[in-house]
């Protein structure tokens, strides 16, 4: 083996390994994103998705705490975290106390958590009671039974729980499909960043 080949082959292999490692690191790193919200998708919020950012809020109706017809536009003027949940959904119930903690800590004239139950109409009273138990009464009860799921479909929820965050102008900021810990440093940092 010539002297050049003796050193060139290992150098080429090392260069290839470094190039592949760099490519993999770049592809999985949130730091490369230019979206400031995407950069906050770490820890428990690592599944935060900003691909529909700017999507308009749904105009579909759902039932408010007093049984009144409402739309998400009724929360205009503040950042709104909308969580679609159900009592038959284990991950929904597990994350509900952390949503209540986020509302307790960050709820203000700038930010509010809205939990919309998607339970069946015959389970409405149970869902209202269960929300009270899971959140110690911190979150109000909003309701959209399956026959009124336009709000679910138009919001792009494909499963439960799904959380969608809207800005004060009714445009989507980000969404998260599945369970998350909203009583975390990452969640507090996200809310601080989008309400300032």
């Amino acid at each position: 083996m010539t002297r050049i080949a003796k050193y060139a082959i290992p150098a080429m292999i090392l260069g290839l390994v470094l190039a592949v490692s760099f490519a993999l690191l770049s592809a999985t790193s949130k730091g490369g994103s230019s979206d400031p919200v995407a950069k906050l998708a770490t820890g428990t919020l690592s599944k935060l998705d900003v691909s529909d950012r700017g999507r308009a809020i749904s105009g579909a109706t759902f039932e408010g705490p007093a049984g009144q017809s409402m739309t998400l536009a009724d929360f205009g003027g503040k950042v709104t975290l909308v969580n679609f949940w159900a009592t038959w959904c284990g991950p929904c119930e597990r994350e509900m106390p952390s949503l209540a903690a986020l509302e307790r800590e960050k709820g203000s004239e700038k930010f509010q958590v809205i939990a919309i139950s998607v339970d069946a109409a015959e389970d409405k009273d149970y869902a209202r009671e269960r929300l009270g138990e899971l959140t110690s009464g911190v979150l109000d009860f909003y309701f959209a039974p399956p026959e009124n799921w336009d709000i679910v479909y138009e919001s792009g929820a494909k499963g439960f729980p799904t959380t969608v965050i809207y800005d004060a102008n009714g445009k989507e900021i980000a969404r998260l499909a599945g369970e998350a810990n909203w009583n975390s440093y990452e969640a507090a940092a996200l809310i601080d960043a989008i309400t300032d």
Side-chain angles (χ1 to χ4, degrees):
M1 186 185 286
T2 67
R3 188 173 174 173
I4 293 175
K6 183 177 177 183
Y7 293 108
I9 292 173
M12 287 186 334
I13 292 172
L14 179 61
L16 182 62
V17 168
L18 289 173
V20 169
S21 298
F22 178 76
L24 289 173
L25 183 61
S26 295
T28 60
S29 172
K30 300 283 186 190
S33 175
S34 61
D35 188 313
V37 174
K39 289 181 180 182
L40 295 169
T42 61
T44 186
L45 301 183
S46 63
K47 296 183 289 182
L48 197 69
D49 178 5
V50 297
S51 61
D52 285 334
R53 189 172 188 141
R55 178 181 183 171
I57 203 165
S58 168
T61 60
F62 55 94
E63 191 176 304
Q68 75 277 31
S69 181
M70 300 186 71
T71 68
L72 292 175
D74 293 329
F75 302 99
K78 62 171 65 176
V79 172
T80 308
L81 182 151
V82 179
N83 179 265
F84 295 98
W85 73 285
T87 57
W88 43 260
C89 166
C92 298
E93 288 208 343
R94 282 193 302 270
E95 83 171 342
M96 198 54 66
S98 72
L99 285 163
L102 181 64
E103 172 65 20
R104 263 193 308 273
E105 183 181 339
K106 298 293 179 182
S108 67
E109 69 281 346
K110 292 176 158 185
F111 174 73
Q112 184 173 4
V113 174
I114 306 298
I116 301 177
S117 167
V118 296
D119 283 279
E122 61 267 18
D123 296 325
K124 177 181 174 183
D125 291 338
Y126 174 69
R128 182 188 304 273
E129 178 184 320
R130 191 69 182 129
L131 181 69
E133 292 169 356
L134 292 168
T135 69
S136 301
V138 171
L139 297 179
D140 289 329
F141 182 73
Y142 298 90
F143 189 58
E147 57 272 14
N148 192 25
W149 270 13
D150 287 346
I151 183 67
V152 174
Y153 302 133
E154 290 179 17
S155 297
K158 294 181 174 77
F160 307 109
T162 292
T163 302
V164 186
I165 305 171
Y166 296 99
D167 68 18
N169 299 314
K171 301 293 186 190
E172 183 171 327
I173 296 172
R175 67 179 46 238
L176 196 148
E179 180 182 359
N181 177 9
W182 296 99
N183 186 24
S184 64
Y185 170 79
E186 295 89 359
L190 172 66
I191 300 308
D192 287 343
I194 62 180
T195 56
D196 284 342

